[in-house]
Amino acid sequence: MTFAATQAPIATSSTRAANNSQLVDELKAIVGRRYVLTSPSATQRFRKGFRFGNGPALAVIQPGSLLEQWRVLNACIKANKAVIVQAANTGLTGGSTPDGDTYDRDIVIINTLRMNKIHLIGNGQQVICLPGATLFELEKMLQPLGRNPHSVIGSSCIGASVFGGICNNSGGALIHRGPAFTQMTLYAQVTESGDVILVNHLGVRLGTDPEAILTNAENGSFKAEDVEYYPDRFCSDHDYQQHVRDIEAPTPARFNADPKRLFEAAGSAGKVMLFAVRLDTFPKEQKTGDFYIGTNDPGELTQIRRHILAHFKSLPVQGEYLHRDAFDIAEKYGKDTFLAIQYLGTDRLPTLFAVKGWFDALCARVKFVPHDFSDRFMQAASSFFPRHLPKRLYEYRNRFEHHLMLRMADDGIAEVRDYLAKRFPSAQGAFFECTVDEGVKAFLHRFAAAGAAIRYRAIHRKHVEDMVALDIALPRNGTDWFERLPPDISNRLEQKLYYGHFFCQVLHQDYIVKKGFDPMEVEHAMWAILDTRGAEYPAEHNVGHLYNAKASLVDHYQTLDPCNCFNPGIGHTPKLLRWRKDEPLPGPE
């Protein structure tokens, strides 16, 4: 990988201000004044990441059509601005927001949530999604057809976009489907000469002029015979089930820097501007059954994982791990999330998160309002509700350190029931078959664990320094999966929270760092340990602004974006024009 050293002309502050004013006026003419936000208070919720990431931006633009989005991009590139494209801004590593103020150009954020159309093709066996389409909306559209999207748990509940999954090769909890992936997309690139070009690899005949292509894609102005099918182009990770079953392979099943899954927009981390993606959908299971396993010996879970992957005819739909400590933190600090989904349903949760973001931005303008006021309020409110988990889950929490939830479908239900009945009870573990209520609440509790560390940090800011959040992928042949930290690291931590997608050997590890210790030092020490274990990281949330992008990712980014116009600095790559590594030019004033 190489980084050019071309210098860009230095603009004076007065010239920059005049150019910025002219650009803002042009953007208002394209999308309307209402959808161009420039004040720091108005743009805050777009500039600040869900868990990490924050920085200034010249403007946040909210186009209402693909044609507007195209014209906004052209105006920004012509004005020598860097562009960050985001949808729901629910990423966990800060990858869809600016990262500080050390750029050599102004940042323009293009938020795409207004463009949320979804077109069904092939009787719903595939879909074409536009930039603002969310996993929840896609799931709802497919429900009457008896089909599911790639992901139906986790980020779908907080309004995450379909595009976010593709750009980040997000993994999800569903073992059958692997990472979000497609080779059929419609996107724009900025060439090495600075030209904006449109690339139609959607496999749909939409015309030849860029503006006509985008208009036809948005309106669904194409016939069934305009849709082409190619034997060597795939709209999902079609061979993942066989891949994850290879339990003797010395490499992880899935991770963000896997070259096998880097293809144009897939794994691009926003280094192109994506307009449409074509994806497979999947038949719904006819019947599902949930099983809850507890043990004090992590080796028992290893044996279960290896046996099922190697010998079962039917893989689990999901296989989710939860450590006792994560159980406890989720039970207290994820309670409001659990209750909101239980009583309000997932329909309203994206709106609630949007309202929370708006309220936090409002509170930030008022100096006397405590930091994280909304989190403190929701935490206090949740304490008035009684214990919310089924009795048997609490019993297993008291008896066992390690918890594994299995969701099986159709013939797999009897297959796992017979297998577990022969294994348990053992000296260290036991299992039970869940009622419908127990199963729903067990998996919902596991989902709540993903945000519980963030809430814990918010409530205890006076007593903790910060948190370190890692998502790691362990080799498929690994058996020693549960982490044991040396005392010099463990003594710097107040909490260690472990949960994850067990059959893929993808673990989420959240660490609450004690006051007075440097979280970055802790994280780098963790990386050294992970390297000795043969782990790949990040596994599914992508590098964002937390991780160093590996060579395969950097090569992918540079091929897509030779001028470094899109999402500069991602993965700790250079933030400067044309990938310069020297000191930044005078930045925005």
Side-chain angles (χ1 to χ4, degrees):
M1 52 188 173
T2 59
F3 300 101
T6 304
Q7 294 289 334
I10 300 176
T12 65
S13 59
S14 59
T15 302
R16 181 182 297 115
N19 290 342
N20 287 350
S21 177
Q22 182 179 347
L23 174 63
V24 169
D25 287 343
E26 185 177 353
L27 296 174
K28 289 177 179 178
I30 294 172
V31 303
R33 299 179 64 86
R34 177 182 177 184
Y35 299 110
V36 178
L37 310 177
T38 55
S39 71
S41 57
T43 61
Q44 181 183 0
R45 66 188 181 98
F46 302 94
R47 295 183 290 105
K48 185 176 181 181
F50 179 68
R51 183 184 278 179
F52 295 104
N54 197 3
L58 172 64
V60 174
I61 315 301
Q62 300 172 294
S65 69
L66 298 186
L67 190 54
E68 289 182 0
Q69 185 179 349
W70 168 256
R71 290 172 177 172
V72 166
L73 172 62
N74 278 271
C76 290
I77 297 304
K78 184 179 179 181
N80 192 31
K81 306 304 178 188
V83 172
I84 296 176
V85 183
Q86 66 172 215
N89 192 20
T90 58
L92 299 182
T93 57
S96 56
T97 62
D99 176 43
D101 59 358
T102 54
Y103 299 89
D104 59 342
R105 296 151 289 164
D106 296 290
I107 299 289
V108 174
I109 297 172
I110 300 177
N111 183 278
T112 63
L113 281 182
R114 293 178 64 206
M115 301 169 289
N116 61 351
K117 288 183 180 178
I118 301 170
H119 304 303
L120 300 175
I121 57 176
N123 296 317
Q125 295 188 47
Q126 289 187 331
V127 291
I128 292 175
C129 297
L130 300 194
T134 66
L135 291 169
F136 173 74
E137 291 164 342
L138 179 55
E139 182 181 353
K140 192 173 181 179
M141 174 178 277
L142 293 173
Q143 191 169 8
L145 304 178
R147 301 188 72 83
N148 276 329
H150 170 268
S151 179
V152 295
I153 189 173
S155 55
S156 60
C157 294
I158 57 175
S161 69
V162 173
F163 278 27
I166 296 299
C167 291
N168 294 318
N169 283 145
S170 299
L174 302 180
I175 300 167
H176 293 192
R177 301 175 196 174
F181 179 77
T182 184
Q183 294 176 315
M184 305 189 80
T185 56
L186 174 65
Y187 62 94
Q189 281 182 291
V190 178
T191 66
E192 194 159 4
S193 60
D195 298 319
V196 181
I197 62 170
L198 187 68
V199 180
N200 182 10
H201 287 168
L202 202 59
V204 182
R205 290 186 288 270
L206 297 166
T208 56
D209 173 70
E211 296 203 348
I213 291 171
L214 293 168
T215 301
N216 290 333
E218 177 154 22
N219 295 335
S221 300
F222 51 86
K223 301 175 182 178
E225 53 265 32
D226 293 322
V227 179
E228 300 173 311
Y229 297 88
Y230 305 105
D232 57 344
R233 289 257 174 156
F234 301 98
C235 296
S236 63
D237 193 351
H238 63 289
D239 62 351
Y240 185 76
Q241 287 194 47
Q242 193 62 35
H243 181 73
V244 76
R245 282 182 182 273
D246 188 358
I247 59 174
E248 301 305 332
T251 56
R254 54 182 172 90
F255 56 98
N256 289 136
D258 186 353
K260 178 184 176 184
R261 298 182 177 92
L262 301 177
F263 188 91
E264 296 180 351
S268 66
K271 299 300 286 183
V272 296
M273 176 171 280
L274 195 52
F275 291 99
V277 299
R278 179 172 164 180
L279 300 170
D280 290 332
T281 67
F282 305 87
K284 271 183 175 288
E285 300 84 9
Q286 296 299 310
K287 182 181 179 182
T288 60
D290 298 330
F291 299 81
Y292 200 97
I293 302 164
T295 182
N296 291 311
D297 177 11
E300 282 198 310
L301 300 188
T302 300
Q303 293 170 18
I304 291 170
R305 171 187 167 271
R306 289 178 63 85
H307 180 87
I308 288 177
L309 289 176
H311 301 294
F312 267 39
K313 180 180 179 181
S314 303
L315 288 181
V317 177
Q318 295 170 232
E320 294 294 293
Y321 169 75
L322 189 67
H323 186 264
R324 176 190 280 158
D325 293 342
F327 184 109
D328 292 345
I329 294 295
E331 197 270 342
K332 182 175 182 179
Y333 296 96
K335 187 176 182 180
D336 61 308
T337 298
F338 182 104
L339 294 174
I341 297 173
Q342 181 181 5
Y343 291 116
L344 300 178
T346 56
D347 295 48
R348 292 184 175 88
L349 207 60
T351 302
L352 292 178
F353 271 86
V355 170
K356 180 182 182 299
W358 172 85
F359 184 73
D360 288 341
L362 180 66
C363 290
R365 305 183 207 177
V366 185
K367 292 183 179 180
F368 62 83
V369 174
H371 194 52
D372 301 312
F373 178 76
S374 64
D375 287 288
R376 295 175 183 276
F377 176 80
M378 290 187 291
Q379 187 61 36
S382 69
S383 66
F384 290 99
F385 288 82
R387 299 182 90 184
H388 56 287
L389 297 178
K391 180 180 178 181
R392 283 202 285 188
L393 267 65
Y394 285 116
E395 290 175 351
Y396 267 51
R397 179 260 169 235
N398 294 334
R399 292 173 59 189
F400 303 116
E401 180 180 3
H402 305 281
H403 300 238
L404 178 63
M405 290 149 268
L406 294 181
R407 175 161 291 165
M408 305 298 296
D410 304 327
D411 294 342
I413 298 172
E415 194 174 14
V416 81
R417 181 189 293 132
D418 294 344
Y419 171 68
L420 294 178
K422 293 174 183 176
R423 285 198 61 95
F424 295 110
S426 67
Q428 295 288 334
F431 91 100
F432 64 87
E433 186 169 351
C434 300
T435 64
V436 172
D437 182 66
E438 287 173 331
V440 169
K441 290 182 177 178
F443 278 94
L444 182 52
H445 181 56
R446 157 62 187 90
F447 165 67
I454 303 173
R455 172 63 56 77
Y456 185 96
R457 176 184 65 177
I459 300 300
H460 298 278
R461 281 193 186 272
K462 291 183 179 179
H463 309 290
V464 304
E465 196 67 38
D466 207 338
M467 65 180 287
V468 172
L470 301 176
D471 60 298
I472 70 169
L474 297 173
R476 282 165 285 172
N477 65 353
T479 56
D480 188 17
W481 56 271
F482 186 68
E483 182 176 72
R484 296 169 182 84
L485 292 173
D488 67 307
I489 296 179
S490 188
N491 292 340
R492 291 182 259 178
L493 305 176
E494 182 167 310
Q495 297 284 349
K496 303 186 294 287
L497 308 178
Y498 300 100
Y499 52 96
H501 314 306
F502 190 67
F503 283 74
C504 301
Q505 293 261 80
V506 168
L507 295 175
H508 299 283
Q509 304 183 166
D510 294 341
Y511 309 94
I512 305 298
V513 181
K514 293 178 180 178
K515 202 72 175 177
F517 292 99
D518 184 352
M520 289 305 299
E521 288 185 5
V522 171
E523 183 165 2
H524 292 165
M526 298 286 190
W527 291 353
I529 293 173
L530 293 174
D531 290 341
T532 65
R533 298 175 67 193
E536 291 282 355
Y537 51 92
E540 61 181 13
H541 291 156
N542 219 328
V543 289
H545 293 293
L546 292 183
Y547 299 91
N548 294 314
K550 295 192 174 182
S552 57
L553 279 176
V554 175
D555 289 344
H556 188 49
Y557 297 161
Q558 286 190 299
T559 300
L560 294 173
D561 183 20
C563 293
N564 204 19
C565 293
F566 294 105
N567 213 359
I570 198 77
H572 295 291
T573 57
K575 294 181 176 179
L576 311 184
L577 185 66
R578 297 189 178 277
W579 301 87
R580 296 191 334 274
K581 291 195 294 184
D582 53 324
E583 290 299 314
L585 302 171
E589 298 185 4

